[in-house]
Amino acid sequence: MKFHPGRAIRVLLLPLAAGLALSALPVQRAVAASALVNGGFESGGSGAARPTGWSEHGDTGASYTEAGGHRGGYRLTHYAPSAYRVETSQRLSGLANGPYTLTAWVRSGGGQNAAHLALKNCGSAEQRTALPVSSSGWIRIVTSIKVTVNQCTISINSDANAGNWINVDDLTFASGTTGTSIHGADISSLAKSEAKGGVYRTHSGTRGDAVTILKNAGMNYARLKVWVHPADGFNDKAHVLALARRIKAAGMKLLVDFHYSDTWADPGAQAKPAAWAGHSYGRLKSDVYTHTYDVLHALKAQGTTADMVQVGNEISGGMLWSDGSTGNWTQLAALLNSGYDAVKAVDPSTVVALHLAKGGDKAGTRWWFDNARANGVRFDAIGLSYYGYWDGHPLADFQATLDDVAARYGKPVFVAETAYPFRLDSEDSLTDQIDTTGELAFGYPATVAGQTRWMNDVASIVEAVPKDRGLGVFYWEPTWTAVAGNGWDPADASSGNGWENQALFGYDDRALSSMTWFRHR
Protein backbone atom coordinates (compact mmCIF):
# COMPACT_ATOMS: atom_id res chain seq x y z
CA MET A 1 0.00 0.00 0.00
CA LYS A 2 1.20 3.48 -0.84
CA PHE A 3 -0.40 6.57 0.55
CA HIS A 4 -1.26 8.81 -2.41
CA PRO A 5 -3.96 11.22 -3.54
CA GLY A 6 -4.81 9.44 -6.78
CA ARG A 7 -8.16 7.74 -7.04
CA ALA A 8 -9.50 5.08 -9.37
CA ILE A 9 -12.63 5.72 -11.41
CA ARG A 10 -15.21 3.01 -10.99
CA VAL A 11 -16.63 1.59 -14.21
CA LEU A 12 -20.34 1.09 -13.84
CA LEU A 13 -21.63 -2.39 -14.55
CA LEU A 14 -24.71 -2.91 -16.64
CA PRO A 15 -27.71 -4.14 -14.68
CA LEU A 16 -29.06 -7.57 -15.42
CA ALA A 17 -32.61 -7.88 -16.65
CA ALA A 18 -34.86 -10.12 -14.60
CA GLY A 19 -37.87 -11.95 -16.00
CA LEU A 20 -41.45 -11.94 -14.81
CA ALA A 21 -42.11 -13.79 -11.58
CA LEU A 22 -44.43 -16.78 -11.48
CA SER A 23 -46.32 -18.02 -8.44
CA ALA A 24 -45.66 -21.27 -6.59
CA LEU A 25 -47.07 -23.12 -3.62
CA PRO A 26 -45.01 -23.02 -0.40
CA VAL A 27 -44.60 -26.79 -0.07
CA GLN A 28 -41.54 -28.25 1.68
CA ARG A 29 -40.48 -31.53 0.11
CA ALA A 30 -37.74 -33.92 1.22
CA VAL A 31 -35.36 -35.62 -1.17
CA ALA A 32 -35.25 -39.32 -0.27
CA ALA A 33 -31.57 -39.74 -1.07
CA SER A 34 -28.34 -37.96 -0.23
CA ALA A 35 -27.90 -36.45 -3.72
CA LEU A 36 -28.78 -32.83 -4.41
CA VAL A 37 -31.50 -32.69 -7.08
CA ASN A 38 -31.45 -30.18 -9.95
CA GLY A 39 -28.55 -28.14 -8.60
CA GLY A 40 -28.14 -26.57 -12.04
CA PHE A 41 -31.85 -25.69 -12.40
CA GLU A 42 -31.94 -27.27 -15.85
CA SER A 43 -34.95 -29.48 -15.15
CA GLY A 44 -38.12 -27.66 -16.16
CA GLY A 45 -36.39 -25.01 -18.26
CA SER A 46 -37.17 -21.31 -18.19
CA GLY A 47 -40.10 -19.99 -16.21
CA ALA A 48 -40.38 -22.85 -13.72
CA ALA A 49 -42.22 -21.34 -10.76
CA ARG A 50 -40.97 -24.10 -8.48
CA PRO A 51 -37.84 -25.80 -9.82
CA THR A 52 -37.82 -29.60 -9.70
CA GLY A 53 -36.55 -30.83 -6.33
CA TRP A 54 -36.90 -27.44 -4.65
CA SER A 55 -39.47 -25.88 -2.33
CA GLU A 56 -40.39 -22.23 -1.82
CA HIS A 57 -41.60 -20.16 1.11
CA GLY A 58 -42.61 -16.54 1.49
CA ASP A 59 -43.23 -14.37 -1.56
CA THR A 60 -42.97 -17.36 -3.88
CA GLY A 61 -43.65 -15.34 -7.01
CA ALA A 62 -40.21 -13.81 -6.60
CA SER A 63 -38.44 -17.17 -7.07
CA TYR A 64 -38.28 -18.80 -10.51
CA THR A 65 -35.94 -20.10 -13.21
CA GLU A 66 -34.93 -18.24 -16.34
CA ALA A 67 -32.45 -18.45 -19.20
CA GLY A 68 -28.83 -17.48 -18.71
CA GLY A 69 -27.12 -20.05 -16.50
CA HIS A 70 -23.56 -20.16 -15.28
CA ARG A 71 -22.74 -23.27 -17.33
CA GLY A 72 -26.07 -24.63 -18.55
CA GLY A 73 -29.04 -22.89 -20.07
CA TYR A 74 -30.90 -21.82 -16.92
CA ARG A 75 -30.48 -20.36 -13.46
CA LEU A 76 -32.51 -19.62 -10.36
CA THR A 77 -33.53 -15.97 -9.97
CA HIS A 78 -35.00 -14.05 -7.06
CA TYR A 79 -36.60 -10.81 -8.24
CA ALA A 80 -39.75 -8.74 -7.82
CA PRO A 81 -40.66 -5.13 -8.67
CA SER A 82 -41.76 -4.62 -5.05
CA ALA A 83 -40.11 -5.54 -1.75
CA TYR A 84 -40.10 -9.29 -1.09
CA ARG A 85 -38.84 -12.06 1.18
CA VAL A 86 -38.44 -15.54 -0.28
CA GLU A 87 -36.63 -18.80 0.45
CA THR A 88 -35.87 -21.53 -2.09
CA SER A 89 -34.82 -24.69 -0.28
CA GLN A 90 -34.16 -28.41 -0.59
CA ARG A 91 -34.00 -30.89 2.29
CA LEU A 92 -31.57 -33.77 1.90
CA SER A 93 -32.12 -36.91 3.94
CA GLY A 94 -30.27 -40.19 4.25
CA LEU A 95 -26.94 -38.41 4.60
CA ALA A 96 -23.97 -40.04 6.26
CA ASN A 97 -23.01 -37.86 9.21
CA GLY A 98 -19.88 -35.77 8.84
CA PRO A 99 -18.66 -32.46 7.34
CA TYR A 100 -20.19 -31.19 4.10
CA THR A 101 -19.62 -28.22 1.84
CA LEU A 102 -22.18 -26.45 -0.33
CA THR A 103 -20.70 -24.78 -3.41
CA ALA A 104 -22.68 -22.39 -5.60
CA TRP A 105 -22.14 -19.85 -8.37
CA VAL A 106 -23.90 -16.57 -7.72
CA ARG A 107 -24.54 -13.05 -8.94
CA SER A 108 -26.27 -10.17 -7.19
CA GLY A 109 -27.27 -6.64 -8.07
CA GLY A 110 -27.00 -5.65 -4.40
CA GLY A 111 -29.28 -3.48 -2.30
CA GLN A 112 -30.92 -6.29 -0.33
CA ASN A 113 -31.42 -6.28 3.41
CA ALA A 114 -29.96 -9.79 3.20
CA ALA A 115 -29.14 -12.31 0.47
CA HIS A 116 -27.42 -15.52 1.52
CA LEU A 117 -27.03 -19.26 1.19
CA ALA A 118 -27.54 -21.30 4.34
CA LEU A 119 -27.17 -24.85 5.62
CA LYS A 120 -29.62 -25.55 8.45
CA ASN A 121 -31.47 -28.32 10.28
CA CYS A 122 -28.29 -30.36 10.03
CA GLY A 123 -27.83 -31.01 13.75
CA SER A 124 -25.22 -28.28 14.27
CA ALA A 125 -25.38 -24.49 14.22
CA GLU A 126 -26.71 -22.98 10.99
CA GLN A 127 -24.01 -21.75 8.61
CA ARG A 128 -24.44 -18.88 6.15
CA THR A 129 -22.53 -17.16 3.37
CA ALA A 130 -23.77 -13.86 1.95
CA LEU A 131 -23.86 -13.29 -1.79
CA PRO A 132 -21.18 -10.78 -2.85
CA VAL A 133 -22.38 -7.92 -5.04
CA SER A 134 -21.51 -8.84 -8.62
CA SER A 135 -23.73 -7.53 -11.38
CA SER A 136 -22.01 -9.29 -14.27
CA GLY A 137 -19.43 -11.96 -13.42
CA TRP A 138 -20.37 -15.16 -11.61
CA ILE A 139 -18.70 -15.71 -8.22
CA ARG A 140 -18.24 -19.09 -6.52
CA ILE A 141 -19.05 -19.18 -2.80
CA VAL A 142 -18.99 -22.02 -0.29
CA THR A 143 -20.70 -22.86 2.99
CA SER A 144 -19.65 -25.72 5.25
CA ILE A 145 -21.36 -27.54 8.10
CA LYS A 146 -21.15 -30.71 10.19
CA VAL A 147 -24.15 -33.00 9.66
CA THR A 148 -25.03 -34.98 12.79
CA VAL A 149 -28.69 -36.01 12.17
CA ASN A 150 -28.39 -37.62 8.72
CA GLN A 151 -30.15 -34.71 7.03
CA CYS A 152 -29.57 -31.09 6.03
CA THR A 153 -31.52 -28.28 4.38
CA ILE A 154 -29.98 -26.15 1.65
CA SER A 155 -31.53 -22.70 1.71
CA ILE A 156 -31.33 -19.75 -0.71
CA ASN A 157 -32.68 -16.59 0.90
CA SER A 158 -33.56 -13.06 -0.16
CA ASP A 159 -34.87 -10.24 2.03
CA ALA A 160 -34.98 -7.67 -0.71
CA ASN A 161 -36.13 -4.21 -1.60
CA ALA A 162 -38.07 -3.41 -4.75
CA GLY A 163 -36.14 -4.33 -7.90
CA ASN A 164 -33.32 -6.23 -6.14
CA TRP A 165 -32.22 -9.49 -7.74
CA ILE A 166 -29.92 -12.48 -7.30
CA ASN A 167 -28.96 -15.38 -9.57
CA VAL A 168 -27.86 -18.78 -8.23
CA ASP A 169 -26.69 -21.78 -10.24
CA ASP A 170 -24.67 -25.00 -10.29
CA LEU A 171 -24.98 -25.94 -6.63
CA THR A 172 -23.13 -29.00 -5.35
CA PHE A 173 -23.21 -30.58 -1.89
CA ALA A 174 -20.37 -32.93 -1.05
CA SER A 175 -18.24 -34.22 1.81
CA GLY A 176 -15.56 -31.82 2.97
CA THR A 177 -15.02 -28.63 4.87
CA THR A 178 -13.75 -25.11 4.20
CA GLY A 179 -12.47 -22.17 6.16
CA THR A 180 -9.62 -19.67 6.40
CA SER A 181 -6.74 -19.64 8.85
CA ILE A 182 -5.70 -15.98 8.61
CA HIS A 183 -8.00 -13.28 9.99
CA GLY A 184 -5.37 -10.61 10.27
CA ALA A 185 -4.50 -6.93 10.06
CA ASP A 186 -1.53 -4.68 9.42
CA ILE A 187 -1.09 -2.58 12.57
CA SER A 188 2.20 -0.92 11.62
CA SER A 189 0.95 2.57 12.52
CA LEU A 190 -0.01 1.62 16.07
CA ALA A 191 3.29 2.33 17.86
CA LYS A 192 3.50 5.87 16.48
CA SER A 193 -0.19 6.50 17.18
CA GLU A 194 0.23 5.53 20.81
CA ALA A 195 3.40 7.62 21.12
CA LYS A 196 1.47 10.64 19.83
CA GLY A 197 -1.46 10.13 22.21
CA GLY A 198 -3.72 7.77 20.28
CA VAL A 199 -6.52 6.21 22.33
CA TYR A 200 -8.45 3.00 21.64
CA ARG A 201 -11.68 1.86 23.24
CA THR A 202 -13.89 -1.20 23.20
CA HIS A 203 -17.26 -1.02 21.48
CA SER A 204 -18.85 -0.08 24.83
CA GLY A 205 -16.37 2.74 25.40
CA THR A 206 -13.86 1.25 27.86
CA ARG A 207 -10.33 2.41 27.16
CA GLY A 208 -8.00 -0.47 26.36
CA ASP A 209 -5.03 -1.84 24.47
CA ALA A 210 -5.67 -1.92 20.72
CA VAL A 211 -3.89 -5.27 20.31
CA THR A 212 -6.09 -6.83 22.98
CA ILE A 213 -9.27 -5.30 21.55
CA LEU A 214 -8.46 -6.66 18.09
CA LYS A 215 -7.52 -10.07 19.50
CA ASN A 216 -10.79 -10.26 21.44
CA ALA A 217 -12.67 -9.44 18.23
CA GLY A 218 -11.13 -12.49 16.57
CA MET A 219 -7.94 -11.21 14.96
CA ASN A 220 -5.30 -13.97 14.94
CA TYR A 221 -2.46 -12.65 12.77
CA ALA A 222 -0.66 -9.28 12.75
CA ARG A 223 1.36 -7.78 9.92
CA LEU A 224 4.18 -5.27 10.57
CA LYS A 225 6.18 -3.39 7.96
CA VAL A 226 9.85 -2.70 8.52
CA TRP A 227 11.79 0.18 6.97
CA VAL A 228 15.57 0.49 7.12
CA HIS A 229 16.20 4.02 8.46
CA PRO A 230 12.87 5.89 8.40
CA ALA A 231 12.94 9.64 8.98
CA ASP A 232 10.60 9.50 11.97
CA GLY A 233 12.27 6.52 13.63
CA PHE A 234 9.14 4.36 13.57
CA ASN A 235 8.59 1.10 11.64
CA ASP A 236 12.25 0.30 12.20
CA LYS A 237 13.78 -2.80 13.77
CA ALA A 238 13.41 -1.59 17.36
CA HIS A 239 9.72 -0.75 17.02
CA VAL A 240 8.98 -4.00 15.20
CA LEU A 241 10.62 -5.94 18.02
CA ALA A 242 8.60 -4.10 20.67
CA LEU A 243 5.26 -4.54 18.93
CA ALA A 244 6.04 -8.16 18.09
CA ARG A 245 6.30 -8.89 21.82
CA ARG A 246 2.78 -7.58 22.37
CA ILE A 247 1.43 -9.48 19.36
CA LYS A 248 2.89 -12.80 20.44
CA ALA A 249 1.84 -12.23 24.06
CA ALA A 250 -1.73 -11.88 22.79
CA GLY A 251 -1.44 -15.30 21.15
CA MET A 252 -1.37 -14.02 17.57
CA LYS A 253 0.94 -14.95 14.72
CA LEU A 254 3.29 -12.47 13.06
CA LEU A 255 3.93 -11.49 9.44
CA VAL A 256 6.95 -9.23 8.84
CA ASP A 257 6.72 -7.10 5.68
CA PHE A 258 10.14 -5.97 4.40
CA HIS A 259 9.93 -2.85 2.22
CA TYR A 260 13.73 -2.61 1.67
CA SER A 261 13.36 1.15 1.77
CA ASP A 262 13.29 4.06 4.22
CA THR A 263 9.72 4.88 3.22
CA TRP A 264 6.71 3.51 1.33
CA ALA A 265 7.47 0.85 -1.28
CA ASP A 266 4.76 -0.01 -3.80
CA PRO A 267 4.25 -0.39 -7.58
CA GLY A 268 5.03 3.31 -8.10
CA ALA A 269 8.00 3.66 -5.75
CA GLN A 270 10.74 1.23 -4.78
CA ALA A 271 13.46 3.60 -3.60
CA LYS A 272 16.62 2.16 -2.10
CA PRO A 273 17.39 3.03 1.52
CA ALA A 274 19.70 6.04 1.68
CA ALA A 275 22.41 3.89 3.23
CA TRP A 276 22.37 1.55 0.22
CA ALA A 277 21.98 4.16 -2.51
CA GLY A 278 25.54 3.97 -3.81
CA HIS A 279 25.93 0.22 -3.50
CA SER A 280 26.61 -2.04 -6.43
CA TYR A 281 24.16 -4.76 -7.42
CA GLY A 282 26.40 -7.36 -5.80
CA ARG A 283 26.47 -5.35 -2.58
CA LEU A 284 22.67 -4.98 -2.68
CA LYS A 285 22.29 -8.75 -2.60
CA SER A 286 24.35 -8.78 0.57
CA ASP A 287 22.35 -5.85 1.98
CA VAL A 288 19.07 -7.69 1.47
CA TYR A 289 20.39 -10.82 3.16
CA THR A 290 22.00 -9.00 6.09
CA HIS A 291 19.03 -6.71 6.81
CA THR A 292 16.51 -9.54 6.55
CA TYR A 293 18.57 -11.87 8.72
CA ASP A 294 19.28 -9.17 11.30
CA VAL A 295 15.63 -8.29 11.92
CA LEU A 296 14.38 -11.86 11.91
CA HIS A 297 17.20 -13.20 14.08
CA ALA A 298 16.49 -10.48 16.66
CA LEU A 299 12.82 -11.45 16.64
CA LYS A 300 13.66 -15.10 17.15
CA ALA A 301 16.16 -14.28 19.90
CA GLN A 302 13.47 -12.56 21.94
CA GLY A 303 11.03 -15.45 21.48
CA THR A 304 8.84 -13.84 18.80
CA THR A 305 9.83 -15.74 15.66
CA ALA A 306 8.12 -14.51 12.50
CA ASP A 307 5.55 -16.97 11.19
CA MET A 308 5.53 -15.42 7.73
CA VAL A 309 7.74 -12.92 5.89
CA GLN A 310 7.17 -10.83 2.82
CA VAL A 311 10.32 -10.33 0.77
CA GLY A 312 9.30 -6.96 -0.64
CA ASN A 313 6.05 -4.99 -0.57
CA GLU A 314 3.79 -4.75 -3.64
CA ILE A 315 6.71 -5.62 -5.89
CA SER A 316 4.74 -5.70 -9.14
CA GLY A 317 7.52 -3.61 -10.72
CA GLY A 318 10.33 -5.18 -8.72
CA MET A 319 12.26 -3.63 -5.83
CA LEU A 320 15.42 -1.64 -5.10
CA TRP A 321 15.09 0.24 -8.36
CA SER A 322 16.62 0.27 -10.80
CA ASP A 323 18.87 -2.71 -10.06
CA GLY A 324 15.95 -4.95 -9.07
CA SER A 325 13.24 -3.80 -11.47
CA THR A 326 11.24 -6.22 -13.60
CA GLY A 327 13.26 -4.87 -16.52
CA ASN A 328 16.07 -7.12 -15.28
CA TRP A 329 14.57 -10.37 -14.03
CA THR A 330 17.93 -12.06 -13.48
CA GLN A 331 18.94 -9.44 -10.92
CA LEU A 332 15.47 -9.19 -9.35
CA ALA A 333 15.36 -12.97 -8.91
CA ALA A 334 18.74 -13.00 -7.18
CA LEU A 335 17.68 -10.21 -4.80
CA LEU A 336 14.45 -12.06 -3.93
CA ASN A 337 16.31 -15.32 -3.38
CA SER A 338 18.78 -13.49 -1.16
CA GLY A 339 15.87 -12.49 1.06
CA TYR A 340 14.43 -16.02 0.92
CA ASP A 341 17.75 -17.54 1.99
CA ALA A 342 18.01 -15.13 4.93
CA VAL A 343 14.52 -16.03 6.14
CA LYS A 344 15.19 -19.75 6.00
CA ALA A 345 18.59 -19.35 7.65
CA VAL A 346 16.85 -17.89 10.71
CA ASP A 347 14.01 -20.43 10.77
CA PRO A 348 13.21 -22.93 8.00
CA SER A 349 9.57 -23.10 9.10
CA THR A 350 8.87 -19.42 8.42
CA VAL A 351 6.69 -19.01 5.32
CA VAL A 352 8.11 -16.73 2.61
CA ALA A 353 5.51 -14.80 0.61
CA LEU A 354 5.80 -12.62 -2.48
CA HIS A 355 3.35 -9.72 -2.58
CA LEU A 356 1.92 -7.98 -5.65
CA ALA A 357 -0.66 -5.21 -6.03
CA LYS A 358 -3.88 -5.27 -8.11
CA GLY A 359 -5.31 -8.61 -7.07
CA GLY A 360 -7.91 -8.49 -9.83
CA ASP A 361 -5.32 -8.39 -12.63
CA LYS A 362 -5.07 -12.04 -13.61
CA ALA A 363 -2.94 -11.47 -16.72
CA GLY A 364 -0.48 -9.17 -14.95
CA THR A 365 -0.17 -11.44 -11.94
CA ARG A 366 0.38 -14.47 -14.14
CA TRP A 367 3.03 -12.61 -16.18
CA TRP A 368 4.93 -11.70 -13.02
CA PHE A 369 4.93 -15.15 -11.46
CA ASP A 370 5.67 -16.89 -14.76
CA ASN A 371 8.81 -14.75 -14.95
CA ALA A 372 9.62 -15.41 -11.30
CA ARG A 373 9.30 -19.16 -11.83
CA ALA A 374 11.32 -19.08 -15.05
CA ASN A 375 14.11 -17.27 -13.19
CA GLY A 376 14.15 -19.67 -10.26
CA VAL A 377 12.63 -17.42 -7.60
CA ARG A 378 11.87 -19.39 -4.43
CA PHE A 379 8.73 -18.70 -2.39
CA ASP A 380 6.09 -20.49 -0.34
CA ALA A 381 2.96 -18.34 -0.67
CA ILE A 382 1.42 -15.58 -2.79
CA GLY A 383 -0.01 -12.38 -1.30
CA LEU A 384 -2.11 -9.91 -3.28
CA SER A 385 -3.48 -6.47 -2.48
CA TYR A 386 -7.11 -5.95 -3.45
CA TYR A 387 -8.71 -2.56 -2.91
CA GLY A 388 -12.08 -2.61 -4.66
CA TYR A 389 -12.10 1.14 -5.23
CA TRP A 390 -8.57 1.28 -6.74
CA ASP A 391 -7.95 -2.08 -8.35
CA GLY A 392 -9.96 -1.47 -11.52
CA HIS A 393 -11.26 -5.05 -11.52
CA PRO A 394 -14.51 -6.34 -9.96
CA LEU A 395 -14.80 -9.12 -7.40
CA ALA A 396 -15.27 -11.78 -10.09
CA ASP A 397 -11.86 -10.86 -11.57
CA PHE A 398 -10.33 -10.97 -8.10
CA GLN A 399 -11.61 -14.53 -7.64
CA ALA A 400 -10.34 -15.54 -11.08
CA THR A 401 -6.85 -14.26 -10.19
CA LEU A 402 -6.73 -16.09 -6.86
CA ASP A 403 -7.94 -19.33 -8.41
CA ASP A 404 -5.49 -19.07 -11.30
CA VAL A 405 -2.31 -18.42 -9.33
CA ALA A 406 -3.16 -20.97 -6.65
CA ALA A 407 -3.60 -23.68 -9.29
CA ARG A 408 -0.87 -22.55 -11.70
CA TYR A 409 1.90 -22.34 -9.12
CA GLY A 410 0.56 -24.80 -6.56
CA LYS A 411 0.92 -22.26 -3.74
CA PRO A 412 -1.46 -21.00 -1.05
CA VAL A 413 -2.77 -17.46 -1.57
CA PHE A 414 -3.91 -14.69 0.74
CA VAL A 415 -5.00 -11.07 0.65
CA ALA A 416 -2.07 -9.09 2.02
CA GLU A 417 -4.02 -5.82 2.01
CA THR A 418 -7.60 -4.67 1.70
CA ALA A 419 -9.77 -2.09 3.47
CA TYR A 420 -13.00 -0.16 3.13
CA PRO A 421 -14.41 3.16 4.47
CA PHE A 422 -17.18 3.33 7.07
CA ARG A 423 -17.84 7.03 6.34
CA LEU A 424 -16.70 9.64 3.82
CA ASP A 425 -15.88 12.74 5.87
CA SER A 426 -12.45 13.40 7.33
CA GLU A 427 -11.59 13.81 11.01
CA ASP A 428 -8.40 15.81 10.35
CA SER A 429 -7.36 18.48 7.87
CA LEU A 430 -6.19 16.07 5.18
CA THR A 431 -8.74 14.91 2.62
CA ASP A 432 -9.26 11.18 3.02
CA GLN A 433 -8.12 8.78 0.32
CA ILE A 434 -11.73 7.81 -0.39
CA ASP A 435 -14.20 10.62 0.29
CA THR A 436 -16.96 10.55 -2.36
CA THR A 437 -19.63 8.00 -3.24
CA GLY A 438 -18.36 7.86 -6.82
CA GLU A 439 -15.12 6.33 -5.62
CA LEU A 440 -16.72 3.42 -3.79
CA ALA A 441 -16.89 -0.18 -4.98
CA PHE A 442 -20.27 -0.80 -6.62
CA GLY A 443 -22.84 -2.08 -4.14
CA TYR A 444 -20.87 -1.33 -0.98
CA PRO A 445 -21.83 1.91 0.81
CA ALA A 446 -19.45 3.85 3.07
CA THR A 447 -21.12 2.69 6.27
CA VAL A 448 -20.16 0.32 9.06
CA ALA A 449 -22.48 -2.24 7.45
CA GLY A 450 -20.85 -1.66 4.05
CA GLN A 451 -17.37 -2.03 5.54
CA THR A 452 -18.43 -5.25 7.29
CA ARG A 453 -19.95 -6.69 4.14
CA TRP A 454 -16.91 -5.86 2.03
CA MET A 455 -14.62 -7.70 4.40
CA ASN A 456 -16.86 -10.74 4.73
CA ASP A 457 -17.34 -10.96 0.96
CA VAL A 458 -13.60 -10.72 0.27
CA ALA A 459 -12.99 -13.39 2.92
CA SER A 460 -15.70 -15.60 1.36
CA ILE A 461 -13.95 -15.43 -2.01
CA VAL A 462 -10.63 -16.41 -0.43
CA GLU A 463 -12.38 -19.25 1.42
CA ALA A 464 -13.68 -20.59 -1.89
CA VAL A 465 -10.22 -21.02 -3.50
CA PRO A 466 -10.08 -24.71 -4.53
CA LYS A 467 -8.03 -27.32 -2.66
CA ASP A 468 -8.03 -25.26 0.55
CA ARG A 469 -5.35 -22.94 -0.84
CA GLY A 470 -7.05 -19.75 0.36
CA LEU A 471 -5.27 -18.77 3.59
CA GLY A 472 -7.20 -15.65 4.55
CA VAL A 473 -7.11 -11.86 4.67
CA PHE A 474 -5.17 -8.99 6.27
CA TYR A 475 -7.01 -5.72 6.85
CA TRP A 476 -4.74 -2.75 6.16
CA GLU A 477 -4.22 -0.36 9.07
CA PRO A 478 -7.32 -0.71 11.30
CA THR A 479 -5.60 1.33 14.05
CA TRP A 480 -4.57 4.32 11.90
CA THR A 481 -6.97 6.79 13.48
CA ALA A 482 -6.56 10.56 13.20
CA VAL A 483 -3.84 11.45 15.71
CA ALA A 484 -1.81 14.65 15.35
CA GLY A 485 1.75 13.78 14.32
CA ASN A 486 0.89 10.33 12.99
CA GLY A 487 0.54 11.34 9.36
CA TRP A 488 1.42 9.47 6.21
CA ASP A 489 4.78 11.20 5.58
CA PRO A 490 7.57 10.03 7.93
CA ALA A 491 9.58 13.12 7.00
CA ASP A 492 6.77 15.59 7.79
CA ALA A 493 5.38 15.61 11.33
CA SER A 494 2.51 17.86 10.23
CA SER A 495 1.27 15.56 7.49
CA GLY A 496 -2.29 14.36 7.99
CA ASN A 497 -3.67 10.86 8.01
CA GLY A 498 -6.17 10.41 5.19
CA TRP A 499 -7.02 6.87 6.33
CA GLU A 500 -9.04 7.32 9.53
CA ASN A 501 -12.34 6.67 7.74
CA GLN A 502 -11.04 3.19 6.86
CA ALA A 503 -9.87 2.27 10.35
CA LEU A 504 -11.80 -0.24 12.44
CA PHE A 505 -12.11 2.29 15.26
CA GLY A 506 -14.61 5.13 14.93
CA TYR A 507 -14.06 8.86 15.35
CA ASP A 508 -15.02 8.36 19.00
CA ASP A 509 -12.10 5.86 19.28
CA ARG A 510 -14.51 2.96 19.86
CA ALA A 511 -14.16 -0.41 18.16
CA LEU A 512 -16.58 -0.66 15.24
CA SER A 513 -18.92 -3.61 14.89
CA SER A 514 -17.26 -4.30 11.53
CA MET A 515 -14.56 -6.09 13.54
CA THR A 516 -16.94 -9.05 13.47
CA TRP A 517 -15.38 -9.98 10.11
CA PHE A 518 -12.38 -11.33 12.07
CA ARG A 519 -14.61 -14.25 13.06
CA HIS A 520 -15.35 -15.20 9.45
CA ARG A 521 -15.32 -18.96 9.03
Side-chain angles (χ1 to χ4, degrees):
M1 168 69 188
K2 172 176 172 125
F3 219 71
H4 59 80
R7 299 180 178 117
I9 298 174
R10 183 82 177 119
V11 178
L12 296 179
L13 299 173
L14 294 176
L16 221 64
L20 296 176
L22 300 177
S23 61
L25 296 175
V27 177
Q28 178 72 41
R29 295 177 296 160
V31 177
S34 60
L36 175 66
V37 174
N38 196 23
F41 301 100
E42 297 301 303
S43 179
S46 187
R50 187 177 66 211
T52 301
W54 295 87
S55 301
E56 296 172 326
H57 296 275
D59 299 316
T60 57
S63 174
Y64 52 93
T65 59
E66 62 179 350
H70 165 246
R71 280 199 306 254
Y74 306 100
R75 67 194 182 211
L76 176 73
T77 290
H78 284 181
Y79 166 82
S82 57
Y84 63 94
R85 298 181 67 180
V86 69
E87 176 189 23
T88 307
S89 63
Q90 184 172 143
R91 182 163 64 89
L92 305 181
S93 61
L95 296 171
N97 288 335
Y100 287 84
T101 295
L102 173 69
T103 303
W105 288 87
V106 302
R107 293 189 293 196
S108 170
Q112 299 92 348
N113 300 314
H116 65 269
L117 302 184
L119 295 174
K120 61 183 185 179
N121 305 323
C122 310
S124 55
E126 179 178 333
Q127 297 294 310
R128 295 183 178 184
T129 299
L131 273 64
V133 179
S134 179
S135 296
S136 55
W138 290 91
I139 291 176
R140 183 184 61 257
I141 60 175
V142 295
T143 308
S144 295
I145 201 165
K146 185 175 182 180
V147 173
T148 62
V149 290
N150 303 113
Q151 66 179 28
C152 193
T153 297
I154 296 169
S155 177
I156 304 166
N157 292 266
S158 291
D159 178 357
N161 298 301
N164 294 161
W165 59 268
I166 66 169
N167 298 147
V168 180
D169 203 2
D170 292 335
L171 290 91
T172 60
F173 187 73
S175 296
T177 187
T178 66
T180 51
S181 59
I182 295 175
H183 308 141
D186 188 314
I187 56 173
S188 299
S189 68
L190 178 59
K192 188 173 180 180
S193 174
E194 292 173 333
K196 300 296 181 180
V199 172
Y200 299 90
R201 302 183 184 277
T202 65
H203 186 68
S204 63
T206 303
R207 184 168 175 171
D209 172 54
V211 173
T212 301
I213 293 170
L214 290 163
K215 166 65 177 179
N216 290 342
M219 178 174 154
N220 65 5
Y221 221 124
R223 178 180 187 250
L224 298 178
K225 68 172 173 277
V226 57
W227 290 338
V228 180
H229 294 299
D232 61 4
F234 289 90
N235 298 302
D236 62 355
K237 173 184 170 182
H239 284 90
V240 167
L241 288 170
L243 197 46
R245 289 193 291 270
R246 294 167 61 186
I247 289 164
K248 289 287 188 168
M252 291 191 278
K253 291 187 175 182
L254 173 65
L255 164 59
V256 179
D257 174 19
F258 285 91
H259 282 227
Y260 302 112
S261 180
D262 293 334
T263 186
W264 304 99
D266 58 59
Q270 293 283 339
K272 296 171 187 173
W276 305 359
H279 292 183
S280 66
Y281 159 66
R283 178 74 180 277
L284 287 174
K285 287 193 293 182
S286 177
D287 290 334
V288 168
Y289 186 97
T290 301
H291 172 60
T292 305
Y293 185 93
D294 178 52
V295 174
L296 297 179
H297 183 264
L299 283 166
K300 185 173 184 178
Q302 70 172 12
T304 60
T305 301
D307 300 282
M308 188 187 300
V309 167
Q310 283 181 215
V311 177
N313 184 76
E314 291 190 330
I315 52 175
S316 303
M319 67 183 196
L320 293 168
W321 288 347
S322 60
D323 297 78
S325 78
T326 51
N328 190 332
W329 266 101
T330 300
Q331 292 191 175
L332 173 57
L335 289 168
L336 293 172
N337 282 337
S338 199
Y340 179 94
D341 290 342
V343 176
K344 298 298 184 179
V346 173
D347 196 306
S349 68
T350 298
V351 174
V352 177
L354 298 180
H355 171 210
L356 303 189
K358 294 182 75 76
D361 182 6
K362 175 181 170 181
T365 303
R366 178 184 281 194
W367 173 86
W368 198 97
F369 279 100
D370 276 358
N371 276 284
R373 184 170 60 181
N375 283 276
V377 176
R378 299 187 294 278
F379 61 98
D380 305 318
I382 294 172
L384 299 174
S385 293
Y386 184 68
Y387 294 96
Y389 42 71
W390 280 333
D391 191 273
H393 295 271
L395 286 166
D397 289 352
F398 166 57
Q399 180 169 75
T401 305
L402 289 178
D403 290 356
D404 182 68
V405 297
R408 190 174 181 86
Y409 310 108
K411 303 291 186 181
V413 295
F414 65 97
V415 177
E417 297 181 19
T418 190
Y420 208 75
F422 64 91
R423 58 195 293 172
L424 292 175
D425 60 318
S426 177
E427 191 181 4
D428 61 19
S429 61
L430 182 66
T431 299
D432 286 340
Q433 291 284 288
I434 301 298
D435 69 337
T436 66
T437 56
E439 296 169 311
L440 299 173
F442 176 76
Y444 295 87
T447 62
V448 174
Q451 184 184 55
T452 307
R453 182 164 188 183
W454 175 261
M455 289 308 301
N456 278 316
D457 289 351
V458 168
S460 291
I461 289 172
V462 177
E463 182 187 9
V465 174
K467 296 186 178 180
D468 296 321
R469 287 181 173 145
L471 295 179
V473 180
F474 287 92
Y475 193 94
W476 199 75
E477 291 287 12
T479 61
W480 204 3
T481 54
V483 175
N486 191 21
W488 68 272
D489 187 352
D492 180 3
S494 66
S495 63
N497 183 327
W499 199 257
E500 71 272 11
N501 69 331
Q502 298 195 65
L504 295 182
F505 291 86
Y507 289 6
D508 58 0
D509 300 324
R510 297 188 182 202
L512 299 174
S513 60
S514 44
M515 284 190 190
T516 56
W517 89 264
F518 284 121
R519 298 197 180 277
H520 189 278
R521 184 178 51 247

